[in-house]
Every structure is written in C-alpha cells, then in structure tokens.
C-alpha cells in the first residue's frame, strides 16, 4: 500500500504485513456528525473506549481542525474515500486512509459507516504490486485489462489486487480498497456470502461458486450480478496463498427467472407485522433499489371493493394518505408530501385511472397522460424534475379489495420498466395488500385478540440505563390465531434491569388473557426483587391455580389455564456486569461478546410452568460491556423448511455480524430466519449491555457502633460534593442517617453503605446480614421513634427492600437536579 507522506510530529497507522494482527477499524457517525458506534478495531487503533467517543462529535477525533472540509467533500455522495489525520488518545497523530458509506438508519436521517484497514500487505501472499518480474508483464496485462471483474484476496480475506473492471464495479480504486475485506468495501448481504465462500476456499483448497455476483450493481434494477467464482491460488507446494474472485460475463438471465428469484429473496420481508404503516414501508423498501429508484405507497383511509373504488373517485380526484416513501437518494426528493399527510390526485391522472381500472400500468414521463398530470399536479412535476424517465402505477389490492396505490420510478437506472417489472411490482403490492387488508379487516375474534394483546404488551420500553433495548413481536400468520407470547423490560433497584420473555400455550383470547395475568404477576414479583428461581416458583404456583380455576368453570382444555407455559427471566446488574437467569422450559438466550464470540448461555432448563413439584435453578454469568443478549420465543426457530440446528446457525450468523444498534440486530435476525409469515407467534428481545463507570459507585463498610452514623453521613456528603451534587446533600444526610441507624439498631454485621450515581438518579443502599424486613408505621405523638422509614418515604422518589442469600438491602432513590 502506498503510504502518504508523514508530516512532522505525525505517525502513520501501523502498516506492517497483514497476518493475525490485521483488523478493520469501524465507526458510525450520524447526520449531525455525532459518533454513534465504535468497534473493537477502532478502540485498538486510537485507544478510546466506546464510552469516551460514542455521543461525542466526530470532529474531536480529527487532528486537523477544519473537519468541515471532509463534510463538504462527502456532501451529496453515497460513498467517500480519502486520507485524514486523526488524534490518538495519547495525543499523537495518525494518518489514516478511510472509506465511508452512507446508509439509511431506521427510517431516520442517514448515517455514515466509516472503515479503515489497519495493516499493509496481506499476509499469506508473498510479493506485492512492486515485486513482479519484467517477464510477468503479459500476465499482468491479462489481469489488469480483463473485461471480467477480478480481485485477489489474501488468506485473511483482505484485498490485495483489483483489476480495472472490478474497480469500476465497486466504485473505488485498488489503493483505496487494499487491506479491506469485501463486506467493508460493499456492505451488502451478498458480500457476506462471498466472504464466507472465500473462507471456505482457503480452508478446503477447493473452488467455490456463487450464483449472484458479490459486487454491487452500478445501476439499481432487478438484475442479478454475473456468476462468480472463488478460486484458491496455490504455490508450488500446494499451499493456498490467496483467493481470486472473478465475476464472469455470461448471457443475460431470462427476466422471468430474475424476477422469480427476486420475489423469493425479498417477498418474505413484506407483511411481517400487523402494523399498516410498517407493511407499506416494507413494500417500498423491497422495491428500492432492486426494482426501482424510488417508490411511494399511498393508502385509502377506507378500503374499497371493485365496485366501491370507482364510485369513490370524484370529479375533484382521489385523496390518499402518504404512508411510505423510499428512494436511492437519501433526501427522497421525489416526494413532496410528508409521510402521514394526504395527497390529492387529479381525476384524469394515471393514479386515479389505475384505481378505477383496478390494474397497473407503465408510463414514460413523455407520455401525454403524464405530461397532462404534471401540468395539473406539483407532485408529478417534481417526479419529472428529478430526471425520472419511466413510471409504474400499481393498485395495492388483495383479491377484490383495493387498499391504495403504489408508484415506482426510475431515474438512475437507464432501462425503462418492462412487462416483467410490472408483474413483479404487482406481486409485491399483492403481498403488502394482503397484510394491510388483514390488519384492517380481520375476523372479529382475531381483531379483539390482537387489540387485547397489544394492550397487554409493553407499548413503550421503559427508561433505564443498564441496557440498550430493541424488540419485535410478530403474530402467527395462520388460522390458529394470535397466541400468548410476551416480553417485558422491568427496571429494578440498584441500577439493574429485568428482561422477560414468555410463551403461553394455545391461541386466541384465552391465551392472550393468560399472558396478561402472567405478565402482571411477573411485574409484581419483580417489584419485590425476588431472585429469578423464586420468581419462577411463584409463577408456577399461579399457573397451577389458573388451570384449576379454568377446569372448575368448564374451560376448553388444560392449556387454557397456562399449563405448559415457558418463561425466561434474567436480571442484569450494570455495576457488577453480572447477569442472573432462570428458565422454565424456555429456549436459552444467545450471547454475542464484543470480540465476536457467539454462544447459548448454559442455563438449567427447568420444567414448563404449571407442572409443580420440580425446582428451578439459577445461573449467573459475567457479560462484558457491549455484549448482545438475545431472548426469543420458540416460534423464531420453528421453521417449516429447516431443522433447529440450521435455524440456530442462521441466528448465530445474524447476531454475530457487527450491529450498530439492537434495532438493526433485530432486523437482521428476522431477515435471516423468516422466509414466510410465521406459523407461530414470535417475540424477540435484544439487549446490549452497558457498564456503570466505577467512579459513579461508592461503598463503605460500617460497624455496629452508633457513632458510625455520623461517619456515614460525612462519607456520603464528601462523595456528593466530589460528584458536584451539593444540592442533594441535605436530603441524602437524612436518608443515610435513618437507614444506617436502623441497620445498626436492628440488623447484623456486616453492614455496608453504597451510593450509586446513575444518570440523574442517586441511589442510597444500606445492606446487612439480617433477613428481617423493615415496615413503615405511623408513630404516636409522644413516641420517640418509629418515624424513620416514614421520613425516607417522604424524601425519596422510591424506596424498598430486596433480600439476598445472606441478608437484605434497603434502598432509596432520589432525583438529582444536576447531570
């Protein structure tokens, strides 16, 4: 790799041979220039921990002050590369070659994925571009000038060479890509597939083949890349020294076959949720960029049949609600109307005519119908202004019911839409329409069940600092009806959080009602801080009582009371970074550590709830900060087209890929495992662990001497002043005095006082080895005591008691005005 000159006082990033020490540094930066993700490679390269960088301006990392030059250079582009001087944690300067990709981020503003290869010449491949002998000039010409895209990767799967054809396809020069892995150069799922194929070629020494090329197509469209071969390159001794990736030219695959494959690849991602807006967005996302350069989905407020829709078209046009938009352009300039707003289409517009006829149509923007529409409607004029040359208008309809219309356009892809493209668009819209119509007009019982279930599931995840959370819930798509899967996130005392996933046997209203009872019981039991195994024991008793009550009142079957229900209950402590779990017949959770290791936690299975008489066991493990913990119900792995081992392998591969947020991890898992609407409900909860800075925790051991009360007050006061919370000193002194006095008077050694500063909350805890639970009582006028806990309850936002194996802890939380 050619190294840029090193200014005085600046050192280049390490560029010795690639080997086991080679790695990629990666970070994500949002549209406002704030760092949102920081990989282990970035930490190794620059020395900053994620907690020191995430949430801060990326400009602070630049050694050269004007970071705006980079932003201006990248403005309006989807990809950028260049050399930038950055600042190491020790104060030194490093010159890095960076590659950046703009990508959509959860429907919000776009973010940038920034990668850098920390190495020079890939290990396992002797020689480099400068080591070829003059006699090899002909072979060199054949490689560089071949019309087939060719690239050579070392045994560590990092790029060594790329010819001109491959440079054109990937959009970067060889020097910009050298040292990076293919998923870093072109972050797409097919690149991951090629990366796995190259690894297999290195390990087996056998060529591998991919049906679709791993290189991103330069123009959006439905076509797939050429067939790609991955050939191991061996030395005279037969050792694999590198892998050659070659994208071969061949006759164009028939469009019908292309579209059938695309429908299979993408169609299963449409209609994964009962949410109408999300289904519409899934339709738009499926079409762009594979089918079109932009897509717009507008829905009728009230769906209509073949007879109802034409009569609903008035002389003034048709009013639709803009529900989803997607574009290859990040700003989505093709749409004037904001999502959620209304759009009025003229009566003679292609959209109104499409709804009246009930079938789709293709248009060139030079057609008289489109020209007339553009003269009447600013929306159509905007579509033409961005350079659109081909349009499709397709009704979103299921059987005889139309729920809206979808517009597809091309302005980057030079090809006009074909009849095969129209067929594919109709297939996409039909799948979306089935989901939308089903969500709007389900049978009464299913609608009632889903309404009940939605009301019982968490509407929003609670504020807590221990973990970053994302969740998904997908009801079953068959006739069995909605089941009783559920999940929950429960903040606990002491900066901890409980994560729960459960699965009630059966479907319908009774299963949903049972789920609601169990979720309420779990929240109640969690509120008294029961250990996971004890909580499941109480839950087991509840299921037995529910089953008995159901049988006594003539319930349909024994499962109606919840017998056979499974549950997983986990408690994560961000102070100790330890996770305590117990499960009742539920699948064990998956863990991904920051170094990429993936495994199932070894938690004793325990019997399903409702059997009685069998114990539950607790397992405890330490999770490094930044670990991903995935909790799920068995519907996620219960696929009709694969066995459990294959499903687990797919889930492991999905969660192991670096994810900037748990939201993206959830999406990857569902994309990897779902090829059709699920046959059973699916609940998925993914948490990324955080660790509390040790500087925000203070603990002191106390004696039984009453004089230690004054010492405890002084220690607490000094620590609050160190933290800058002088305003909280008065209340904290009173709380500490009362809790420590009670522990000395009624408790047993050892006694400990602990203060925890978590965000804007101060937690005061006093622990002792007595299991006696304190009770708040109202003191009479002349009583000299009995007012302590009443005073604590008045001063604190929350307070309570939790028991452990060797005693109890009394805690109190108060809000802090500072930060």
């Amino acid at each position: 790799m050619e190294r840029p000159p090193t200014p005085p006082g600046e050192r280049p990033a390490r560029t010795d041979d690639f080997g086991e020490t080679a790695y990629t540094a990666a970070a994500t930066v949002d549209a406002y220039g704030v760092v949102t993700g920081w990989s282990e490679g970035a930490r190794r390269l620059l020395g900053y921990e994620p907690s020191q960088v995430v949430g801060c301006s990326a400009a602070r990392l630049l050694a050269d002050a004007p970071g705006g030059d980079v932003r201006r250079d990248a403005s309006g582009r989807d990809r950028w590369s260049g050399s930038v001087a950055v600042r190491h944690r020790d104060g030194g300067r490093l010159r890095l070659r960076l590659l950046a990709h703009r990508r959509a981020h959860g429907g919000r503003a776009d973010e940038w994925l920034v990668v850098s290869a920390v190495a020079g010449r890939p290990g396992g491949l002797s020689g480099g571009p400068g080591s070829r002998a003059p006699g090899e000039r002909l072979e060199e010409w054949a490689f560089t000038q071949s019309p087939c895209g060719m690239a050579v990767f070392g045994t560590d799967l990092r790029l060594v060479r790329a010819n001109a054809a491959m440079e054109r396809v990937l959009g970067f020069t060889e020097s910009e890509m050298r040292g990076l892995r293919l998923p870093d150069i072109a972050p797409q799922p097919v690149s991951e597939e090629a990366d796995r194929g190259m690894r297999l070629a290195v390990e087996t020494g056998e060529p591998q083949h991919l049906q679709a090329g791993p290189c991103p197509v330069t123009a959006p469209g439905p076509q797939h890349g050429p067939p790609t071969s991955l050939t191991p390159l061996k030395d005279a001794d037969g050792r694999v020294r590198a892998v050659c990736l070659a994208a071969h030219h061949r006759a164009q695959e028939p469009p019908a076959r292309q579209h059938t494959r695309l429908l299979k690849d993408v169609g299963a991602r449409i209609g994964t949720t009962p949410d109408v807006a999300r289904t519409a967005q899934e339709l738009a996302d499926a079409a762009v960029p594979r089918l079109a350069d932009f897509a717009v989905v507008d829905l009728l407020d009230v769906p209509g049949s073949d007879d109802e829709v034409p009569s609903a078209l008035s002389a003034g046009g048709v009013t639709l609600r803009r529900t989803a938009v997607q574009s290859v352009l990040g700003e989505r300039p093709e749409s004037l109307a904001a999502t959620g707003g209304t759009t009025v289409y003229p009566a003679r517009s292609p959209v109104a005519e499409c709804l009246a006829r009930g079938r789709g149509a293709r248009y060139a923007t030079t057609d008289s119908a489109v020209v007339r529409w553009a003269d009447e409607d600013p929306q159509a004029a905007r579509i033409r202004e961005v350079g659109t040359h081909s349009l499709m208008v397709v009704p979103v309809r299921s059987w005889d019911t139309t729920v809206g219309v979808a517009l597809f356009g091309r302005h980057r892809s030079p090809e006009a839409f074909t009849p095969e493209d129209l067929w594919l668009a109709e297939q996409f819209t039909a799948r979306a329409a089935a989901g939308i119509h089903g969500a709007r007009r389900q049978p009464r019982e299913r609608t009632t069940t889903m309404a009940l279930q939605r009301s019982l599931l968490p509407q929003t995840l609670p504020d807590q600092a221990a973990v970053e959370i994302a969740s998904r819930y997908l009801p079953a798509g068959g006739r069995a009806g909605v089941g009783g899967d559920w999940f929950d996130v429960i903040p606990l005392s002491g900066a901890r959080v409980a994560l729960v996933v459960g699965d009630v046997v059966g479907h319908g209203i009774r299963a949903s009602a049972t789920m609601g009872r169990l979720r309420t019981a779990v929240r109640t039991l969690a509120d008294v801080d029961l250990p996971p195994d004890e909580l499941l024991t109480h839950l087991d008793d509840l299921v037995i009582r529910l089953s008995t009550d159901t049988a006594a009142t003539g319930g349909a079957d024994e499962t109606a009371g919840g017998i056979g229900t499974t549950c997983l209950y986990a408690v994560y402590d961000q102070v100790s970074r330890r996770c305590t779990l117990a499960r009742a017949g539920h699948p064990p959770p998956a863990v991904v550590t920051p170094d990429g290791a993936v495994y199932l936690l070894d938690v004793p299975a325990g019997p399903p709830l409702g059997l009685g008489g069998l114990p539950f066991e607790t397992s405890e493990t330490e999770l490094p900060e930044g670990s991903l913990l995935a909790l799920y119900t068995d519907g996620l792995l219960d696929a009709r087209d694969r066995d459990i081992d294959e499903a687990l392998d797919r889930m492991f591969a999905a969660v192991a890929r670096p994810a900037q947020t748990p939201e993206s991890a959830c999406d990857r898992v569902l994309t990897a495992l779902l090829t059709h609407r699920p046959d059973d409900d699916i609940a998925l909860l993914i948490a990324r662990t955080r660790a509390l800075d040790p500087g925000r925790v203070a603990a002191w051991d106390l004696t039984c001497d009453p004089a230690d009360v004054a010492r405890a007050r002084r220690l607490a006061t000094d620590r609050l002043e160190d933290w800058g919370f002088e305003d909280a000193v008065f209340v904290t002194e009173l709380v500490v005095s009362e809790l420590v006095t009670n522990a000395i008077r009624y408790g047993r050694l050892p006694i400990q006082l602990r203060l925890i500063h978590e965000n804007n909350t101060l937690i005061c805890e006093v622990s002792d080895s007595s299991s006696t639970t304190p009770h708040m009582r109202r003191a009479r006028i002349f009583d000299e005591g009995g007012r302590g806990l009443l005073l604590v309850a008045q001063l604190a936002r929350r307070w309570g008691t939790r028991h452990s194996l060797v005693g109890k802890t009394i805690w109190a939380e108060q809000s802090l005005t500072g930060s």
Side-chain angles (χ1 to χ4, degrees):
M1 179 183 292
E2 181 180 355
R3 304 184 187 182
T6 303
E10 179 176 284
R11 70 178 189 268
R14 176 174 177 172
T15 56
D16 50 6
D17 287 353
F18 279 109
E20 294 184 357
T21 58
Y23 60 91
T24 300
T28 53
V29 181
D30 67 14
Y32 304 101
V34 176
V35 179
T36 57
W38 194 252
S39 73
E40 172 63 16
R43 185 197 67 77
R44 291 172 58 187
L45 177 60
L46 297 182
Y48 299 101
E49 296 293 335
S51 59
Q52 298 174 304
V53 178
V54 174
C56 300
S57 171
R60 294 176 53 187
L61 299 174
L62 300 180
D64 298 330
D69 294 343
V70 175
R71 180 175 297 182
R72 285 191 297 271
D73 191 26
S75 177
R77 301 168 60 181
D78 291 330
R79 298 193 291 176
W80 175 88
S81 67
S83 181
V84 175
V86 298
R87 192 176 305 281
H88 193 275
R89 185 184 179 188
D90 63 12
R93 292 158 53 95
L94 287 83
R95 175 67 62 173
L96 300 179
R97 168 67 70 177
L98 300 180
L99 213 62
H101 309 271
R102 186 198 299 270
R103 61 186 187 182
H105 181 56
R108 299 184 292 274
D110 293 347
E111 68 176 11
W112 287 90
L113 169 65
V114 185
V115 296
S116 178
V118 187
R121 189 176 67 251
L125 183 66
S126 60
S131 64
R132 289 182 291 274
E136 299 174 349
R137 189 171 301 169
L138 185 61
E139 290 84 350
E140 173 67 12
W141 291 343
F143 175 82
T144 58
Q145 299 178 33
S146 171
C148 296
M150 300 177 68
V152 178
F153 293 80
T155 54
D156 55 1
L157 309 188
R158 297 178 181 275
L159 187 136
V160 185
R161 299 291 314 281
N163 68 358
M166 186 62 74
E167 288 179 330
R168 287 193 298 270
V169 171
L170 293 175
F172 294 111
T173 65
E174 177 187 289
S175 62
E176 291 173 327
M177 298 184 290
R178 192 180 297 127
L180 291 173
R181 298 178 68 166
L182 186 58
D184 299 325
I185 301 169
Q188 298 180 8
V190 71
S191 298
E192 299 284 356
E193 181 183 354
D195 192 70
R196 291 191 294 270
M198 287 191 286
R199 170 57 61 196
L200 195 59
V202 171
E203 294 175 348
T204 65
E206 298 295 330
Q208 307 295 316
H209 300 278
L210 301 177
Q211 290 303 312
C215 308
V217 293
T218 54
Q223 56 267 58
H224 287 256
T228 302
S229 64
L230 307 170
T231 306
L233 305 180
K234 304 177 182 179
D235 60 16
D237 298 326
R239 293 179 301 172
V240 177
R241 306 302 300 275
V243 179
C244 178
L245 183 153
H248 304 284
H249 287 283
R250 69 173 183 186
Q252 182 69 22
E253 186 179 28
R257 184 175 300 174
Q258 295 177 10
H259 288 75
T260 300
R261 182 186 297 123
L262 183 57
L263 182 61
K264 179 180 179 182
D265 293 343
V266 179
R269 304 177 192 174
I270 302 175
T272 65
T273 168
D275 183 83
V276 170
R278 187 171 185 127
T279 299
Q281 190 62 53
E282 289 172 344
L283 168 60
D285 293 344
V288 178
R290 300 168 182 86
L291 175 65
D293 294 333
F294 76 90
V296 175
V297 182
D298 295 328
L299 298 182
L300 292 160
D301 285 334
V302 179
S305 67
D306 286 343
D307 297 329
E308 295 168 339
V309 171
S311 62
L313 300 175
S314 64
V318 58
T319 300
L320 301 173
R321 186 167 300 279
R322 180 61 44 88
T323 310
V325 181
Q326 187 54 277
S327 170
V328 294
L329 304 177
E331 299 79 8
R332 302 173 182 175
E334 302 92 343
S335 174
L336 282 177
T339 302
T342 57
T343 299
V344 179
Y345 290 101
R348 298 176 61 195
S349 67
V351 173
E353 292 177 357
C354 163
L355 287 172
R357 292 195 304 264
R359 62 179 182 271
R362 297 177 293 121
Y363 298 91
T365 51
T366 55
D367 290 350
S368 58
V370 178
V371 174
R372 182 177 63 248
W373 179 28
D375 292 338
E376 300 177 12
D377 187 353
Q379 170 70 44
R382 169 62 68 89
I383 291 175
R384 296 187 67 193
E385 287 171 4
V386 299
T388 302
H389 60 83
S390 186
L391 279 173
M392 287 192 299
V393 185
V394 183
V396 183
R397 63 196 311 268
S398 175
W399 296 99
D400 64 343
T401 301
T402 301
V403 298
V405 68
L407 282 77
F408 306 95
R410 284 183 180 171
H411 47 70
R412 281 196 173 183
S413 178
E415 297 87 2
F417 286 119
T418 65
E420 290 81 8
D421 294 327
L422 180 59
W423 174 85
L424 183 62
E426 290 172 341
Q427 300 304 309
F428 282 173
T429 56
R431 296 195 179 198
I436 294 171
H437 181 56
R440 283 177 164 178
R441 304 184 67 176
Q442 296 171 10
R444 183 183 302 271
E445 181 177 350
R446 181 174 175 86
T447 302
T448 304
T449 302
M450 291 191 68
L452 173 63
Q453 190 174 52
R454 285 199 191 100
S455 69
L456 295 174
L457 288 172
Q459 303 303 306
T460 58
L461 297 178
D463 291 334
Q464 47 78 39
V467 291
E468 183 183 2
I469 287 286
S471 64
R472 295 289 186 272
Y473 181 83
L474 276 70
R479 295 185 177 182
V482 180
D485 292 18
W486 94 92
F487 63 88
D488 212 344
V489 179
I490 309 171
L492 301 177
S493 64
R496 300 169 303 136
V497 66
L499 308 175
V500 194
V501 172
D503 184 358
V504 175
V505 175
H507 296 82
I509 293 179
R510 194 182 293 274
S512 293
T514 301
M515 175 270 285
R517 289 178 171 182
L518 296 182
R519 178 172 177 253
T520 301
V522 170
R523 280 192 156 263
T524 302
L525 295 170
D527 194 50
V528 296
D529 264 320
L530 288 180
D533 55 340
E534 292 187 28
L535 183 143
L536 291 182
T537 300
H538 284 280
L539 206 61
D540 185 50
D541 294 338
L542 173 62
V543 170
I544 293 174
R545 290 197 300 271
L546 290 177
S547 179
T548 301
D549 293 344
T550 301
T553 55
D557 53 48
E558 63 177 2
T559 62
I563 288 182
T565 294
T566 66
C567 183
L568 172 67
Y569 184 81
V571 176
Y572 175 70
D573 186 343
Q574 65 170 322
V575 177
S576 65
R577 301 192 305 278
R578 300 197 69 81
C579 185
T580 307
L581 311 94
R583 62 188 180 112
H586 202 83
V591 171
V592 184
T593 59
D595 60 5
V598 188
Y599 57 92
L600 293 176
L601 279 180
D602 185 15
V603 183
L609 299 175
L611 300 184
L614 297 174
F616 300 98
E617 298 181 55
T618 295
S619 174
E620 186 173 80
T621 185
E622 183 171 339
L623 297 177
E625 181 179 8
S627 298
L628 279 182
L629 185 64
L631 288 69
Y632 51 91
T633 54
D634 58 5
L636 182 67
L637 304 179
D638 186 18
R640 67 176 78 137
D641 56 351
R642 68 179 73 95
D643 59 28
I644 185 68
D645 291 333
E646 182 183 353
L648 280 172
D649 289 341
R650 290 196 180 193
M651 183 179 71
F652 281 4
V655 297
R657 291 175 55 196
Q660 302 305 320
T661 64
E663 291 284 347
S664 59
C666 281
D667 291 337
R668 286 178 180 174
V669 169
L670 294 181
T671 299
L673 290 173
L674 295 185
T675 58
H676 49 76
R677 291 294 300 273
D679 298 324
D680 193 7
D681 289 17
I682 293 175
L684 175 64
L685 188 66
I686 293 184
R688 173 174 286 159
T689 62
R690 297 176 176 139
L692 194 63
D693 185 347
R696 292 173 175 251
V697 182
W700 303 277
D701 292 329
L702 305 175
T703 69
C704 283
D705 187 350
D708 254 13
V709 176
R711 172 173 168 262
R713 285 197 301 266
R714 184 174 66 256
L715 292 170
T717 298
D718 292 344
R719 184 50 55 97
L720 287 181
E721 291 175 349
D722 291 342
W723 287 340
F725 298 118
E726 290 84 356
D727 292 343
V729 167
F730 177 74
V731 172
T732 304
E733 282 187 331
L734 293 175
V735 171
V736 168
S737 291
E738 296 302 333
L739 297 186
V740 172
T741 298
N742 280 348
I744 291 175
R745 183 174 297 173
Y746 305 111
R748 294 198 300 264
L749 290 175
I751 300 173
Q752 185 185 72
L753 167 65
R754 186 169 75 157
L755 297 181
I756 302 173
H757 166 214
E758 179 195 33
N759 293 338
N760 63 340
T761 300
L762 179 67
I763 304 170
C764 176
E765 298 182 342
V766 176
S767 305
D768 69 84
S769 61
S770 170
S771 59
T772 303
T773 302
H775 295 282
M776 183 171 59
R777 64 184 178 89
R778 185 173 299 279
R780 291 170 296 186
I781 295 176
F782 298 106
D783 286 350
E784 295 183 1
R787 298 177 178 85
L789 288 180
L790 179 62
L791 180 62
V792 170
Q794 296 300 314
L795 296 174
R797 183 176 61 188
R798 295 195 311 153
W799 77 280
T801 304
R802 67 173 181 268
H803 290 268
S804 63
L805 294 177
V806 293
K808 67 177 182 299
T809 298
I810 307 175
W811 55 270
E813 292 181 4
Q814 56 179 300
S815 298
L816 297 172
T817 56
S819 60

